[in-house]
Amino acid sequence: MSVPQNPAVLGATTTAAEVVDGVDLHGRRAVVTGASSGIGVETARALASAGADVTLAVRNTEAGNRVVARLEAELPAGSGELTVGRLDLADRSTVAAFVADWQGPLHILVNNAGVMAPQEITRTPDGREQQFGVNHLGHFALTTGLHRALAAADGARIVSVSSTGHLFSPVVFDDLDYRFRPYDPWTSYGQSKTANILFAVAAAERWADDGITANALMPGNIADTNLARHMDLQEIADFIASGAIALPPQKTVEQGAATSVLLAASPTVAGVSGRYFEDCAEAKPVTERGTNVGGVAPYALDRDNAARLWHVSEALIG
């Protein structure tokens, strides 16, 4: 299925509010992980403004409650209800508790939370390298746990927030947790972001008969976000100056949330599944990282890789 395009309307500078202009999500329920800061907040705002009831799934519920209070004061009348649920993707017990507490159908799941480039290797309580454990395995456990609720929604959408950072590394199946390789924060981040795309590819194929679509995306280069909380600003500047990473022009958080909201809510991508988007359009394939600041690597859309990752992930989460 081809992806409808409207270049006059959608692009790098499109905002989440513009994406949902005229979209009616009343009667639909959404979960946005990591919605206490950055593009997660703006994703929740846009979905609620269109009428969806949105649960902010966050580690810090106090921060989540502050966001809810602020959004409720800012959203127009007729917006959807906002609630907060505790979810720490590094802690499998909170994932299980969130899944157990969920009742009824789930129409939209935006897997937005993440961690980026801790300078020293960190592991989750169950021994996984943190970026792979949080960015991929935590969301894998959450989404598979909510599968029944998604299937009950009759047309649910899964949105997996990845990154152009996936160009740093494929999933290295023989050493997911850096037990043999020297730890590198950027290849580790890249592996986890590739996994986010592969998960969408696998879910799209496995759950198509349930009416579920799944897509991944690159939100953009957004300065105002908590994602880089583990990094020193000078380290980031030095890394960029070294030429090891090329970045697209910066976006505002409102622009950064636009592609997530497009995949979560826009009728223009209804039925589209297993794809990777950037700047509100399907990304073009690239054959090497080089100086590319966008595009999608073939290994990130490979169905065999996706199926292998699914099986490995099932084994890792038990």
Side-chain angles (χ1 to χ4, degrees), residues 224-240:
D224 186 14
T225 176
N226 198 36
L227 181 63
R229 60 189 178 275
H230 297 284
M231 299 186 64
D232 178 86
L233 293 178
Q234 187 58 51
E235 289 175 342
I236 297 175
D238 291 345
F239 190 55
I240 293 171

Side-chain angles (χ1 to χ4, degrees), residues 68-93:
V68 165
R70 173 162 60 88
L71 292 182
E72 287 178 339
E74 296 170 352
L75 284 166
S79 295
E81 181 182 357
L82 293 165
T83 57
V84 174
R86 184 166 187 270
L87 178 71
D88 182 348
L89 292 165
D91 182 346
R92 202 68 50 75
S93 67

Side-chain angles (χ1 to χ4, degrees), residues 170-193:
V171 172
V172 181
F173 288 99
D174 292 326
D175 191 21
L176 295 171
D177 294 311
Y178 286 80
R179 300 289 183 181
F180 297 92
R181 294 176 287 164
Y183 173 73
D184 177 80
W186 289 107
T187 60
S188 172
Y189 179 67
Q191 173 176 252
S192 73
K193 293 291 102 178

